[in-house]
Amino acid sequence: MMTVEMVLYLLPMISVGATALLLMLSAAIRRCSIVAFSISLLGLLCAFVLTFFNEIPQARVTDLFVIDNYGIFGMRLILLATFVIVLFAFDYLKTKQEEVEEFYVLLMISCLGALCMVVSNHFMSFFLGLEILTVPLYALIAYFHQRSNGLEAAIKYIVLAGVSAAFLLFGMVLIYAQLGNMRFDILADNWAPMWNSGRLILLLGLSFMMVGVFFKLSAVPFHMWAPDVYEGAPLPITAYLATVSKGAMMVLFLRFYTQLHGDTVFAWQWLLSFIAILSMFIGNWLALLQKNIKRLLAYSSIAHVGYMLVALLSGNDLGASAVIFYLVTYFAATLLAFGALMLLESNQNESVTIEDVRGLFYVKPALSGCLVLAFLSLVGIPLTAGFMGKYWILLAGVSQTKWPLLICLVVSSAIGLYAYLRVGVSLFQDQAPRAEFPKAPCGVLKITLAALVVATLMLGIMPNSITTMIQGAAGSL
Amino acid sequence: MMLIWLIAFPFLGGLLAWFCARFSSKAAHFISLLVLAFSIGAIFLAWQQGESSTSMEDLWMLQWRWMWLPAWGIEIHFGLDGLSFVLLLLTYVMGFIAVMVSKNQISHNIGLFHFCLLWMVSGVAGILLSLDLFLFFIFWEVVLIPLYLMVVMWGHKNRVFATVQFFIFTQASGLLLFLSILALVFVHHAQVGVYTFDYDQLINTSLPYPLAIWILLGFLLAFLVKLPAFPFHVWMPPLFAESMCAPLLVGIMVKTGAYGLLRFVLPLFSSDIHLIAPWMTVLGIVSIVYGAILAFAQNDPFKILAYSTLSHMGLILIGIFSQDKLALSGVAVLLVTQALSTGGLLMLFAHLKTSLPDLDLQKVGGLFKVVPGVTVLSLFFVMASVGLPGLGNFVGEWLVLLGIFSTNTISAAFAASGIVLGAIYSLWLVQRLFYGAYKGGMHTTISDVSAGQKALYGFMVLLLIGIGFFPAPLLDVVSTVWQEKAPDIDEEIL
């Protein structure tokens, strides 16, 4: 039964959906990129404000969704990140010849899918959200079809995403066949009684589902698409893939794992530990070998998933809040890194390599400052967001005495350090930069970058207010 | 509040210097000197303030605390005692000298150089004053950033490799240190039920046996890398050879490793230290002998000094783990004098290197005729670092050896061998570089030390002689740290 109250709970999602419709209408009347940009921003802002009217412990909206502090926090995170990406997109699209209004439409629809995922409590909303998130991305990755790698990246993404979605669906079906329900909380109740008789099918279903999940998270060994797609997609979309698309799946997966009491299913834990260790090592190791900064960030994002899985495996409240906090810090640092990259890219040079930024510090100190801060945060140097995130993960791990995982985390981050350091060293070497960077940052992008810098530093120095929010969110899981 | 300023003042001054360098590099230079001079004044003031306000029983002369992250019981907690006072004073003085010397050696990005230098000084001040382990770790890591910038931006050919190696060594060991700190906090939480990173509280934790050793190893590794001790010294020789800031490293950074051992490892693990001490003594002996032998084989004077530092640090390591009060006081003296003597040598060699980029003992020699000033000063610093009686290093080495001898004769014998070997390679270095026949291939004119720099080096010379003849004030300040006043020290010296 749907009541008026329930509709109110869903208002943020409705607002984003309506924005997409409005964008289409306005484009039909008259194409104007500024109008499309403003409508998207307003829609996201509106949705963000609406999340503040939902401060409730827990509300089930039909079987599909559950609105609680955790879901609301996830929504806010997604909305903020999309907001930043729309700002990036505005700067990025300025120089393009193509018609750009549909870019915003697709972005809004994809964002709707992400919102759907973070509050979903049911296989159906899980799958629908995932598809709504993913399908617009196919188009977005190949949006500028003259780009050399755009089409290749999109095809790669379509095929692999399709296959992984099929696996996910099959896994869901197997679990449904055993337990007879698709709601997470009811699944959890049916789990224990059915465990003895149908263990094999349940585990099979679970592992199939994990294929879909890991693909979206780009965890090893389902990570192959990430570097190519990151390189081929337009930069704002790369940022979107690295943050929102990955974050929504992480938020959903954390809910799924906690609801099903994943820490009692040993096979599942072994699988996750294995994947986490592989992701950390292979992500950081391959990052070492990259010359292209976008590919480097792709591999680093693989490693970061590994870190988050370590926190997730540490169970309890501490682990859950560590995952969320790490996600927030990862969002801030990654967006900052991509924002800085936006200024380095030009229509002629779409893949910035480490060689290209050599000596950049002497030409553009502020921009290289942003890049350095982003990388320091991704490495986890104190006083940046990444350090607090890593601290929380280590804290969670130590509290559950997950020593092997933690040692792997430490060793692999030392490897990753070297990968990032190469960019840092290159920035400060005293030759003149090889490529010209004619682009002067527009005001919008400047302010966005400044805000991200502040966020990265604040999360590292004074995280008190967000800490309490996250603990509240994790508590409602 | 005073303590906050001891950290914040250099940092803010550095920002100001960076800003002013846009207009005039002289202004940046002047501001840095002024800031460090003020800091030196401020620390004496803080000491006086502490002395008048606290009684003898208090652990800390001066304290300051503020709740930072209440969710995890993390405080900003600073405290000053004799040990941190001495090392902090040394840091400021060495920083001051380094700024003075840098005037002729740094030609580009002068503002940023001063900022990095002062940032480093402020970070080390943070390390020396922090009494919250979380805070300590933050300073421990943050101090690497300016160092990293300095090596990358102002250095020689292979500096990138040297930097990366150094950074990875310290970062990886740093994360293990952090893991150990967290484990310690959790053990404490399990016993008391409170999350806290406070030194004064964690010190009372009784650790269960096998876990204690692992936590101890995590702490040890981080400090041994910074010290450095064999086999964790690998990063050091390339960094010395390639960077412009080797004097800073010796004068400022290396101290933090020994400080960590003295401040954290000894008190926190007092009940388990005896299990690890023999191994550390062995490591110390190996460092002494290995460092000395490798110093023979080098042709780069900077590398010789790097290995000689390794050798000296071996002695310090043995001294620390002998846990003898005399030896500990000796360690503190040795830390100060080693920074002055080896730091002085490094600065002199860096001076030579600005006009002789190819400073190699096989190509360069007989410099006495060209740079008599540098020669005389180098000879003095070499004599000091070899441990000539009457100079500061002798007091330190003698106290350490005396302390070790009372507990373990054999290790004392090995430790003393380092002094003999050190005398040989150091004198050989001076012989090859300054005396003998003047070698060809030096087309450039080499300038001798200027009058202003002479005054500066003269000050370091005076300090070394002063400590050599009147170590009592220094020992008095330091010995307050090892609880009882150890009244017999003064008698034995006289």
Side-chain angles (χ1 to χ4, degrees):
Chain A
M1 260 301 284
M2 197 78 177
T3 61
V4 179
E5 212 175 23
M6 288 178 174
V7 176
L8 289 180
Y9 291 142
L10 294 182
L11 269 180
M13 286 157 76
I14 294 170
S15 151
V16 172
T19 310
L21 286 177
L22 205 61
L23 278 169
M24 272 190 264
L25 273 178
S26 82
I29 295 166
R30 185 165 173 277
R31 282 184 174 277
C32 172
S33 68
I34 299 270
V35 169
F37 168 69
S38 331
I39 291 176
S40 330
L41 278 192
L42 275 179
L44 288 171
L45 204 63
C46 185
F48 188 73
V49 171
L50 285 171
T51 58
F52 285 92
F53 296 108
N54 288 348
E55 296 286 356
I56 30 155
Q58 198 181 49
R60 294 195 181 286
V61 179
T62 68
D63 273 348
L64 295 180
F65 301 113
V66 54
I67 308 277
D68 52 6
N69 281 332
Y70 177 73
I72 289 173
F73 188 86
M75 280 203 201
R76 283 179 198 156
L77 193 61
I78 301 278
L79 287 168
L80 273 180
T82 316
F83 191 82
V84 171
I85 284 161
V86 168
L87 291 172
F88 285 174
F90 177 66
D91 184 77
Y92 185 84
L93 299 174
K94 257 190 336 195
T95 57
K96 303 290 177 212
Q97 307 300 324
E98 288 89 345
E99 315 216 292
V100 297
E101 287 71 27
E102 285 81 357
F103 195 91
Y104 294 109
V105 177
L106 290 168
L107 202 58
M108 287 302 116
I109 297 175
S110 182
C111 175
L112 175 65
L115 291 180
C116 186
M117 280 173 79
V118 296
V119 291
S120 86
N121 187 41
H122 195 275
F123 279 162
M124 247 30 264
S125 51
F126 180 171
F127 191 76
L128 277 178
L130 184 67
E131 288 302 302
I132 298 175
L133 169 74
T134 312
V135 173
L137 279 175
Y138 303 151
L140 282 171
I141 291 169
Y143 197 84
F144 302 103
H145 46 85
Q146 295 94 331
R147 284 176 56 105
S148 45
N149 307 325
L151 278 178
E152 183 199 329
I155 296 284
K156 213 167 241 176
Y157 193 65
I158 289 175
V159 172
L160 291 176
V163 172
S164 77
F167 268 101
L168 181 69
L169 208 54
F170 191 36
M172 286 175 175
V173 169
L174 284 177
I175 292 179
Y176 175 65
Q178 275 300 305
L179 302 184
N181 205 303
M182 291 205 274
R183 249 173 76 173
F184 295 169
D185 47 334
I186 298 177
L187 282 184
D189 297 337
N190 294 355
W191 190 269
M194 292 305 291
W195 180 242
N196 288 326
S197 59
R199 184 181 308 190
L200 193 66
I201 305 267
L202 278 180
L203 280 180
L204 200 64
L206 215 52
S207 9
F208 278 180
M209 277 188 70
M210 285 305 104
V211 173
V213 171
F214 291 146
F215 169 80
K216 205 79 206 154
L217 293 177
S218 68
V220 176
F222 306 100
H223 65 288
M224 315 291 187
W225 60 274
D228 294 334
V229 174
Y230 275 39
E231 195 187 355
L235 248 180
I237 297 310
T238 312
Y240 187 83
L241 277 169
T243 54
V244 175
S245 149
K246 196 174 266 201
M249 183 51 108
M250 200 69 212
V251 171
L252 171 64
F253 181 50
L254 178 61
R255 186 195 289 280
F256 184 63
Y257 182 82
T258 321
Q259 291 263 327
L260 258 62
H261 303 293
D263 40 349
T264 57
V265 186
F266 287 108
W268 200 4
Q269 281 208 308
W270 275 104
L271 178 75
L272 285 175
S273 309
F274 185 63
I275 298 279
I277 292 174
L278 274 184
S279 300
M280 289 191 287
F281 274 105
I282 293 185
N284 279 321
W285 182 257
L286 291 182
L288 264 184
L289 310 176
Q290 304 308 315
K291 291 200 178 68
N292 184 329
I293 297 182
K294 270 202 260 181
R295 290 182 80 89
L296 193 150
L297 282 171
Y299 282 109
S300 106
S301 80
I302 293 168
H304 284 287
V305 168
Y307 302 155
M308 282 185 248
L309 286 180
V310 170
L312 183 121
L313 280 164
S314 306
N316 66 24
D317 271 5
L318 210 53
S321 39
V323 176
I324 311 172
F325 189 75
Y326 201 83
L327 208 55
V328 175
T329 64
Y330 166 78
F331 269 38
T334 309
L335 287 175
L336 183 59
F338 279 112
L341 272 187
M342 296 259 313
L343 288 175
L344 295 176
E345 260 200 12
S346 57
N347 282 333
Q348 291 80 36
N349 181 14
E350 279 171 351
S351 52
V352 182
T353 62
I354 293 180
E355 281 297 304
D356 288 339
V357 297
R358 184 175 287 248
L360 185 71
F361 176 78
Y362 302 98
V363 189
K364 297 202 163 186
L367 176 58
S368 2
C370 290
L371 257 185
V372 168
L373 182 67
F375 279 111
L376 287 182
S377 178
L378 288 173
V379 171
I381 299 287
L383 300 186
T384 60
F387 171 70
M388 280 290 166
K390 216 167 242 175
Y391 159 68
W392 212 330
I393 289 183
L394 289 177
L395 194 71
V398 171
S399 75
Q400 298 291 307
T401 60
K402 299 267 179 200
W403 296 112
L405 279 174
L406 292 181
I407 299 292
C408 288
L409 193 153
V410 167
V411 173
S412 67
S413 29
I415 301 173
L417 182 69
Y418 182 53
Y420 300 114
L421 214 55
R422 290 182 313 145
V423 184
V425 166
S426 186
L427 283 173
F428 289 102
Q429 275 176 350
D430 42 8
Q431 290 94 335
R434 191 185 279 175
E436 289 291 307
F437 300 111
K439 221 166 168 184
C442 75
V444 174
L445 197 57
K446 257 188 196 166
I447 294 171
T448 319
L449 283 180
L452 285 170
V453 166
V454 171
T456 311
L457 287 175
M458 281 305 281
L459 282 171
I461 297 171
M462 287 307 281
N464 281 334
S465 51
I466 195 135
T467 315
T468 32
M469 255 169 88
I470 284 174
Q471 278 164 341
S476 77
L477 258 180
Chain B
M1 208 54 213
M2 196 73 188
L3 295 178
I4 287 260
W5 285 113
L6 287 178
I7 298 165
F9 200 51
F11 186 80
L12 297 176
L15 281 177
L16 186 66
W18 191 10
F19 179 71
C20 287
R22 288 171 178 224
F23 311 112
S24 135
S25 59
K26 274 207 181 113
H29 197 73
F30 182 69
I31 288 171
S32 307
L33 289 179
L34 204 65
V35 163
L36 284 166
F38 263 119
S39 307
I40 293 173
I43 188 162
F44 277 113
L45 209 64
W47 181 255
Q48 220 167 26
Q49 200 183 332
E51 228 171 16
S52 59
S53 65
T54 46
S55 57
M56 283 315 291
E57 287 81 46
D58 278 344
L59 209 49
W60 310 108
M61 303 287 294
L62 213 55
Q63 279 195 75
W64 190 83
R65 50 171 69 203
W66 179 72
M67 206 52 164
W68 178 23
L69 303 171
W72 300 303
I74 295 170
E75 277 180 304
I76 292 186
H77 184 187
F78 296 121
L80 183 74
D81 71 347
L83 182 64
S84 39
F85 169 73
V86 168
L87 293 180
L88 195 53
L89 185 59
L90 175 71
T91 307
Y92 288 146
V93 170
M94 291 304 287
F96 188 85
I97 294 172
V99 172
M100 285 290 269
V101 175
S102 76
K103 201 171 179 185
N104 304 328
Q105 296 173 1
I106 304 296
S107 52
H108 63 95
N109 286 70
I110 292 170
L112 191 60
F113 178 83
H114 286 105
F115 172 62
C116 286
L117 205 157
L118 287 174
W119 182 1
M120 201 156 114
V121 168
S122 122
V124 172
I127 292 179
L128 296 174
L129 293 175
S130 298
L131 289 180
D132 184 281
L133 267 71
F134 192 86
L135 192 64
F136 168 79
F137 179 76
I138 284 188
F139 282 114
W140 181 260
E141 293 282 288
V142 160
V143 86
L144 294 175
I145 300 173
L147 183 68
Y148 155 71
L149 280 177
M150 286 172 91
V151 191
V152 173
M153 292 185 71
W154 301 275
H156 310 293
K157 266 195 315 264
N158 294 323
R159 59 180 190 263
V160 170
F161 171 73
T163 321
V164 168
Q165 198 180 27
F166 169 67
F167 213 66
I168 288 177
F169 258 86
T170 44
Q171 275 291 320
S173 65
L175 270 176
L176 284 176
L177 168 69
F178 194 49
L179 216 54
S180 299
I181 292 177
L182 289 182
L184 182 65
V185 167
F186 268 95
V187 172
H188 184 261
H189 174 248
Q191 286 170 4
V192 185
V194 194
Y195 283 114
T196 177
F197 285 78
D198 192 36
Y199 177 78
D200 293 338
Q201 293 183 41
L202 289 176
I203 212 166
N204 300 322
T205 316
S206 60
L207 292 157
Y209 165 62
L211 186 64
I213 296 296
W214 287 110
I215 298 179
L216 173 57
L217 284 179
F219 274 82
L220 267 181
L221 187 68
F223 297 141
L224 290 185
V225 166
K226 267 272 177 64
L227 195 59
F230 178 86
F232 308 109
H233 65 283
V234 184
W235 57 269
M236 197 178 187
L239 202 62
F240 267 49
E242 300 299 338
S243 76
M244 303 283 276
C245 56
L248 285 172
L249 264 173
V250 174
I252 299 176
M253 289 292 286
V254 167
K255 314 278 88 71
T256 55
Y259 173 81
L261 290 174
L262 287 169
R263 169 73 76 225
F264 296 106
V265 172
L266 290 189
L268 285 175
F269 304 96
S270 51
S271 53
D272 300 284
I273 206 89
H274 62 276
L275 295 170
I276 220 92
W279 298 105
M280 289 299 117
T281 309
V282 170
L283 222 54
I285 291 171
V286 174
S287 300
I288 291 176
V289 178
Y290 179 80
I293 291 174
L294 280 193
F296 280 116
Q298 307 303 319
N299 282 322
D300 184 340
F302 287 96
K303 285 198 175 159
I304 295 182
L305 290 180
Y307 285 113
S308 95
T309 306
L310 173 63
S311 198
H312 289 149
M313 288 302 154
L315 186 60
I316 284 177
L317 187 63
I318 300 178
I320 291 173
F321 280 94
S322 73
Q323 287 180 283
D324 182 273
K325 290 199 175 64
L326 269 182
L328 290 178
S329 297
V331 164
V333 175
L334 208 51
L335 283 173
V336 174
T337 55
Q338 202 265 346
L340 287 170
S341 59
T342 312
L345 275 176
L346 282 166
M347 285 171 194
L348 287 168
F349 290 167
H351 173 78
L352 286 181
K353 195 152 184 167
T354 45
S355 38
L356 274 177
D358 213 13
L359 194 61
D360 186 311
L361 289 181
Q362 283 176 326
K363 295 178 192 151
V364 180
L367 289 177
F368 176 59
K369 295 255 169 51
V370 195
V371 280
V374 175
T375 310
V376 172
L377 285 169
S378 301
L379 192 62
F380 177 84
F381 287 128
V382 160
M383 285 306 174
S385 80
V386 168
L388 192 72
L391 301 181
N393 299 49
F394 173 73
V395 178
E397 284 177 9
W398 190 70
L399 281 176
V400 172
L401 288 175
L402 198 68
I404 304 172
F405 194 80
S406 61
T407 51
N408 189 341
T409 332
I410 300 169
S411 62
F414 273 107
S417 76
I419 297 175
V420 180
L421 293 170
I424 304 175
Y425 68 73
S426 306
L427 290 175
W428 198 38
L429 163 71
V430 174
Q431 156 73 24
R432 286 205 284 173
L433 188 59
F434 294 109
Y435 300 102
Y438 183 79
K439 285 185 190 166
M442 291 174 288
H443 306 295
T444 47
T445 49
I446 311 166
S447 59
D448 206 351
V449 279
S450 66
Q453 284 176 325
K454 262 184 196 145
L456 195 68
Y457 290 116
F459 175 64
M460 291 166 80
V461 167
L462 280 181
L463 273 182
L464 281 171
I465 297 177
I467 297 172
F469 280 98
F470 309 103
L474 180 59
L475 287 172
D476 277 347
V477 171
V478 173
S479 60
T480 54
V481 180
W482 332 121
Q483 301 299 332
E484 26 175 302
K485 282 284 265 179
D488 46 331
I489 291 183
D490 300 78
E491 287 163 28
E492 278 176 61
I493 285 163
L494 300 169

